[in-house]
Amino acid sequence: MTRLTRYVLRELLPPLLSGTLLFTAILSFGYFFVSSQWLRGVPVGLVGRWIGLQVPDTLVKILPMAVVLMTVVAFGRLATERELVAVQSGGIGLGRVARPVAVVAALVTALAVWLSLWVAPRANVETRGLYWDVLTGTGLSRLVGQTLDLRGGLTLSLAGYDHGTRRMSGVRVERWQPGDLRRGTVIFADAGTFEGNTLNLTGYQVFTVNYGAAANLARVPENDPAAFRAAVAEVFPSVVLPERAEDTLTLDTGLSRQETFAQYADAIGADSQGWPQLVTALTAPGVPEAERRDARINLNRKLALPFGNLVLALAALPFALRYGRTLGVSLGIALMIAVAYYLLFFVGLTVAGSLPALPELGVWLANVVFAGAGLWLLRRA
């Protein structure tokens, strides 16, 4: 590593680390402030763990801002102190001086991709489980009255929940036959538990129902009891009742308890899809087209924002050379660039939803625009 590279790195790393810590602290305080009314009496250690679990997702969001701040502050100071002029007068071009920026931005991009696709989704699921089950004590009562899609064609609804015993009451589970929405299985249970990926139901009754055959009941002659019994048997081909009141029916779910919180407990579902889930949605047979299209958008979004670190380092460089004269100006320029990028990024996501054939165009819109603008401005600089 040459002396010039080491010198530039010493200029880049402090604002990168400071910006990362600052922006992470601001967002973490925002999470705590919004939820503080629900966290009274909760041990500080649990609150700290809850905030810590949100750090991976927070880092994915704020690292582009930290990279912009790094570039503008470091190269603004180098330009203001005429150090860039001195280096270029020695025959070293701007591209050679800026190479450490590309290396650092690439490393940050790799870190953000790993966080976005593997770490943050798992942490988000655990965060929601900790918040609703432990911190607030609300548990599944948050989901009372809703119909929850537990995947695999299985839906769950509950009339009540006791946090002390972690038991549901007034449970209804449905599973309808693919390709025939009039035929399915309906389970009623007096009580039950939902732990991990398992439903345990007590006081249950299981009915296999064929509503398609229900219309035949009206055509059965009133004086033919045998035909009526046959028609009823066709409507209810199977009825299962427990032999004993304490018997338990166990069902496996495609969505775990924590994943259910992540998807349904908040007004906006948590980002819980990682690389395995997205690849399954894109490649598995029988996945609905709408779900496959959403997976395409989510996968590209989880890649586009991390690669924004590289794009923003390029876009921020000409602004640093021209306007980064003082720390205050550098901070303002960095904030302006970051806000403009995020606004265009969210506009692109909206556009992606209206481009079912090629949603990638909308998702990568901000990166393409800022990369082009950065190259054009560098040419002029």
Side-chain angles (χ1 to χ4, degrees):
M1 184 182 294
T2 65
R3 182 177 299 179
L4 176 61
T5 299
R6 290 195 298 270
Y7 182 78
V8 175
L9 283 175
R10 284 199 298 268
E11 293 291 325
L12 293 172
L13 294 181
L16 174 64
L17 296 176
S18 300
T20 300
L21 291 174
L22 174 63
F23 298 135
T24 300
I26 291 173
L27 260 69
S28 297
F29 176 77
Y31 298 144
F32 174 77
F33 181 79
V34 170
S35 302
S36 59
Q37 60 179 324
W38 306 105
L39 302 178
R40 296 171 186 169
V42 176
V44 175
L46 281 177
V47 176
R49 182 186 171 198
W50 173 66
I51 293 176
L53 285 170
Q54 298 179 75
V55 169
D57 190 60
T58 300
L59 285 174
V60 175
K61 294 181 173 70
I62 61 91
L63 280 174
M65 292 190 289
V67 167
V68 172
L69 183 65
M70 169 193 78
T71 307
V72 175
V73 170
F75 274 78
R77 196 200 69 78
L78 292 175
T80 301
E81 300 295 332
R82 301 293 181 182
E83 295 183 37
L84 284 178
V85 174
V87 169
Q88 288 175 315
S89 66
I92 300 176
L94 178 61
R96 175 67 182 83
V97 180
R99 191 176 299 170
V101 178
V103 172
V104 172
L107 291 174
V108 173
T109 297
L111 172 64
V113 169
W114 176 63
L115 291 173
S116 180
L117 287 173
W118 282 277
V119 180
R122 293 196 298 268
N124 288 342
V125 169
E126 191 172 347
T127 299
R128 295 313 189 274
L130 177 66
Y131 183 79
W132 294 111
D133 257 343
V134 180
L135 298 184
T136 67
T138 304
L140 291 172
S141 61
R142 175 72 178 178
L143 306 177
V144 168
Q146 298 187 45
T147 298
L148 313 174
D149 183 358
L150 302 184
R151 296 179 185 164
L154 197 71
T155 63
L156 167 70
S157 63
L158 55 149
Y161 177 74
D162 185 337
H163 177 67
T165 61
R166 294 172 69 93
R167 291 181 66 81
M168 305 176 290
S169 60
V171 181
R172 185 181 74 246
V173 178
E174 300 177 14
R175 175 176 281 148
W176 297 94
Q177 183 171 315
D180 187 355
L181 297 180
R182 294 180 176 86
R183 187 182 182 91
T185 300
V186 182
I187 304 171
F188 300 98
D190 297 331
T193 61
F194 184 13
E195 302 294 344
N197 288 76
T198 303
L199 283 171
N200 289 305
L201 307 177
T202 56
Y204 62 87
Q205 297 175 327
V206 184
F207 301 93
T208 300
V209 185
N210 181 7
Y211 283 100
N216 296 330
L217 291 173
R219 293 193 287 268
V220 176
E222 295 182 1
N223 58 352
D224 192 345
F228 183 77
R229 284 195 299 270
V232 170
E234 190 175 354
V235 175
F236 297 99
S238 175
V239 177
V240 178
L241 303 176
E243 295 181 0
R244 297 169 300 176
E246 63 271 17
D247 285 351
T248 300
L249 177 66
T250 300
L251 301 173
D252 293 328
T253 64
L255 208 65
S256 70
R257 180 187 178 98
Q258 288 184 323
E259 289 171 329
T260 302
F261 284 130
Q263 184 165 335
Y264 295 107
D266 296 337
I268 299 176
D271 187 357
S272 59
Q273 284 189 308
W275 176 260
Q277 294 83 6
L278 291 170
V279 169
T280 299
L282 289 171
T283 59
V287 177
E289 188 58 35
E291 186 176 335
R292 202 181 297 275
R293 184 173 61 251
D294 289 342
R296 285 175 62 186
I297 294 176
N298 283 335
L299 178 58
N300 280 276
R301 174 179 60 83
K302 287 174 174 288
L303 291 172
L305 188 57
F307 273 91
N309 292 288
L310 275 170
V311 170
L312 287 174
L314 171 66
L317 191 55
F319 286 93
L321 298 176
R322 180 169 296 186
Y323 302 109
R325 298 183 179 87
T326 65
L327 180 60
V329 173
S330 296
L331 289 172
I333 293 296
L335 181 61
M336 179 193 70
I337 295 173
V339 169
Y341 174 82
Y342 283 113
L343 285 175
L344 187 56
F345 185 79
F346 290 123
V347 168
L349 290 179
T350 303
V351 172
S354 61
L355 296 173
L358 198 60
E360 292 81 1
L361 289 177
V363 178
W364 290 87
L365 175 64
N367 286 354
V368 172
V369 170
F370 272 75
L375 290 172
W376 181 71
L377 290 173
L378 276 177
R379 283 176 174 271
R380 297 192 63 184

